[in-house]
mmCIF file of all heavy atoms in Angstrom:
data_model
loop_
_atom_site.group_PDB
_atom_site.id
_atom_site.type_symbol
_atom_site.label_atom_id
_atom_site.label_comp_id
_atom_site.label_asym_id
_atom_site.label_seq_id
_atom_site.Cartn_x
_atom_site.Cartn_y
_atom_site.Cartn_z
ATOM 1 N N VAL A 84 -6.333 14.369 38.588
ATOM 2 C CA VAL A 84 -7.762 14.917 38.531
ATOM 3 C C VAL A 84 -8.080 14.598 37.091
ATOM 4 O O VAL A 84 -7.749 15.299 36.145
ATOM 5 C CB VAL A 84 -7.806 16.388 38.800
ATOM 6 C CG1 VAL A 84 -9.435 16.695 38.809
ATOM 7 C CG2 VAL A 84 -7.308 16.612 40.188
ATOM 8 N N SER A 143 -5.943 22.695 27.317
ATOM 9 C CA SER A 143 -5.774 22.420 28.744
ATOM 10 C C SER A 143 -5.873 23.554 29.727
ATOM 11 O O SER A 143 -5.960 24.624 29.220
ATOM 12 C CB SER A 143 -4.427 21.704 28.981
ATOM 13 O OG SER A 143 -3.443 22.734 28.689
ATOM 14 N N ALA A 144 -5.944 23.285 30.985
ATOM 15 C CA ALA A 144 -5.866 24.384 31.939
ATOM 16 C C ALA A 144 -4.550 25.044 31.812
ATOM 17 O O ALA A 144 -4.547 26.311 32.120
ATOM 18 C CB ALA A 144 -6.171 23.796 33.367
ATOM 19 N N THR A 145 -3.560 24.299 31.746
ATOM 20 C CA THR A 145 -2.166 25.056 31.594
ATOM 21 C C THR A 145 -2.108 26.111 30.526
ATOM 22 O O THR A 145 -1.706 27.202 30.681
ATOM 23 C CB THR A 145 -1.026 23.990 31.330
ATOM 24 O OG1 THR A 145 -1.170 23.048 32.325
ATOM 25 C CG2 THR A 145 0.242 24.590 31.319
ATOM 26 N N HIS A 148 -4.134 28.914 31.582
ATOM 27 C CA HIS A 148 -3.347 29.869 32.328
ATOM 28 C C HIS A 148 -2.371 30.797 31.508
ATOM 29 O O HIS A 148 -2.290 31.942 31.691
ATOM 30 C CB HIS A 148 -2.327 28.968 33.207
ATOM 31 C CG HIS A 148 -2.920 28.381 34.399
ATOM 32 N ND1 HIS A 148 -3.952 28.885 35.127
ATOM 33 C CD2 HIS A 148 -2.566 27.272 35.149
ATOM 34 C CE1 HIS A 148 -4.296 28.096 36.180
ATOM 35 N NE2 HIS A 148 -3.412 27.198 36.120
ATOM 36 N N HIS A 187 -1.211 25.614 42.035
ATOM 37 C CA HIS A 187 -0.952 24.371 41.294
ATOM 38 C C HIS A 187 0.358 24.561 40.381
ATOM 39 O O HIS A 187 0.582 25.705 39.902
ATOM 40 C CB HIS A 187 -2.114 24.022 40.352
ATOM 41 C CG HIS A 187 -1.976 22.720 39.628
ATOM 42 N ND1 HIS A 187 -1.392 22.593 38.475
ATOM 43 C CD2 HIS A 187 -2.414 21.514 40.032
ATOM 44 C CE1 HIS A 187 -1.403 21.349 38.047
ATOM 45 N NE2 HIS A 187 -2.026 20.699 38.969
ATOM 46 N N SER A 189 1.028 24.140 37.546
ATOM 47 C CA SER A 189 0.800 24.759 36.132
ATOM 48 C C SER A 189 0.815 26.181 36.158
ATOM 49 O O SER A 189 1.101 26.683 34.980
ATOM 50 C CB SER A 189 -0.582 24.128 35.623
ATOM 51 O OG SER A 189 -1.638 24.552 36.498
ATOM 52 N N GLY A 239 -9.975 25.214 44.390
ATOM 53 C CA GLY A 239 -9.961 23.801 44.315
ATOM 54 C C GLY A 239 -8.503 23.390 44.166
ATOM 55 O O GLY A 239 -7.902 23.298 43.164
ATOM 56 N N VAL A 241 -5.654 20.515 44.683
ATOM 57 C CA VAL A 241 -5.602 19.113 44.248
ATOM 58 C C VAL A 241 -5.388 18.228 45.513
ATOM 59 O O VAL A 241 -5.641 16.971 45.382
ATOM 60 C CB VAL A 241 -4.600 18.713 43.147
ATOM 61 C CG1 VAL A 241 -5.021 19.388 41.795
ATOM 62 C CG2 VAL A 241 -3.208 19.202 43.486
ATOM 63 N N ASP A 266 -7.503 30.001 39.242
ATOM 64 C CA ASP A 266 -7.381 28.725 38.718
ATOM 65 C C ASP A 266 -8.490 27.903 39.294
ATOM 66 O O ASP A 266 -8.541 27.423 40.408
ATOM 67 C CB ASP A 266 -6.044 28.086 39.256
ATOM 68 C CG ASP A 266 -5.843 26.644 38.789
ATOM 69 O OD1 ASP A 266 -6.686 26.056 38.155
ATOM 70 O OD2 ASP A 266 -4.695 26.144 39.116
ATOM 71 N N ALA A 268 -9.420 24.939 37.623
ATOM 72 C CA ALA A 268 -9.260 23.806 36.721
ATOM 73 C C ALA A 268 -10.400 22.811 36.867
ATOM 74 O O ALA A 268 -11.059 22.410 35.950
ATOM 75 C CB ALA A 268 -7.993 23.178 36.844
ATOM 76 N N PHE A 269 -10.656 22.413 38.135
ATOM 77 C CA PHE A 269 -11.885 21.564 38.352
ATOM 78 C C PHE A 269 -12.866 22.284 39.382
ATOM 79 O O PHE A 269 -13.937 22.083 39.228
ATOM 80 C CB PHE A 269 -11.471 20.198 38.952
ATOM 81 C CG PHE A 269 -10.851 20.065 40.342
ATOM 82 C CD1 PHE A 269 -11.704 20.003 41.419
ATOM 83 C CD2 PHE A 269 -9.429 20.371 40.580
ATOM 84 C CE1 PHE A 269 -11.060 20.117 42.650
ATOM 85 C CE2 PHE A 269 -8.905 20.320 41.654
ATOM 86 C CZ PHE A 269 -9.674 20.234 42.886
ATOM 87 N N ASP A 295 -10.984 23.476 33.109
ATOM 88 C CA ASP A 295 -10.700 22.367 32.320
ATOM 89 C C ASP A 295 -11.921 21.665 31.867
ATOM 90 O O ASP A 295 -12.978 21.522 32.596
ATOM 91 C CB ASP A 295 -9.828 21.236 33.055
ATOM 92 C CG ASP A 295 -8.425 21.219 32.616
ATOM 93 O OD1 ASP A 295 -8.283 21.477 31.466
ATOM 94 O OD2 ASP A 295 -7.726 20.916 33.535
ATOM 95 N N HIS A 297 -11.562 18.569 30.221
ATOM 96 C CA HIS A 297 -11.213 17.192 30.427
ATOM 97 C C HIS A 297 -11.268 16.690 31.824
ATOM 98 O O HIS A 297 -10.879 15.523 32.081
ATOM 99 C CB HIS A 297 -10.027 16.696 29.667
ATOM 100 C CG HIS A 297 -8.899 17.591 29.940
ATOM 101 N ND1 HIS A 297 -8.041 18.111 28.928
ATOM 102 C CD2 HIS A 297 -8.310 18.026 31.117
ATOM 103 C CE1 HIS A 297 -7.127 18.814 29.530
ATOM 104 N NE2 HIS A 297 -7.181 18.732 30.884
ATOM 105 N N LYS A 298 -11.644 17.399 32.837
ATOM 106 C CA LYS A 298 -11.801 17.092 34.162
ATOM 107 C C LYS A 298 -13.328 16.902 34.405
ATOM 108 O O LYS A 298 -13.879 16.024 34.042
ATOM 109 C CB LYS A 298 -11.090 17.984 35.121
ATOM 110 C CG LYS A 298 -9.616 17.854 34.908
ATOM 111 C CD LYS A 298 -8.764 18.708 35.861
ATOM 112 C CE LYS A 298 -7.253 18.553 35.663
ATOM 113 N NZ LYS A 298 -6.452 19.483 36.252
HETATM 114 C C1 PLP B 501 -5.262 19.700 36.527
HETATM 115 C C2 PLP B 501 -5.010 21.052 37.068
HETATM 116 C C3 PLP B 501 -4.404 22.051 36.421
HETATM 117 C C4 PLP B 501 -3.627 21.761 35.046
HETATM 118 O O1 PLP B 501 -4.561 21.313 34.067
HETATM 119 P P1 PLP B 501 -4.185 20.760 32.734
HETATM 120 O O2 PLP B 501 -5.438 20.518 32.007
HETATM 121 O O3 PLP B 501 -3.455 19.379 33.090
HETATM 122 O O4 PLP B 501 -3.203 21.594 32.040
HETATM 123 C C5 PLP B 501 -4.267 23.359 36.942
HETATM 124 N N1 PLP B 501 -4.817 23.579 38.159
HETATM 125 C C6 PLP B 501 -5.334 22.633 38.881
HETATM 126 C C7 PLP B 501 -5.981 23.004 40.174
HETATM 127 C C8 PLP B 501 -5.579 21.395 38.262
HETATM 128 O O5 PLP B 501 -6.290 20.413 39.030
#
Side-chain angles (χ1 to χ4, degrees):
V84 185
S143 64
T145 301
H148 283 332
H187 188 272
S189 58
V241 293
D266 178 359
F269 68 92
D295 251 331
H297 51 227
K298 290 179 180 173

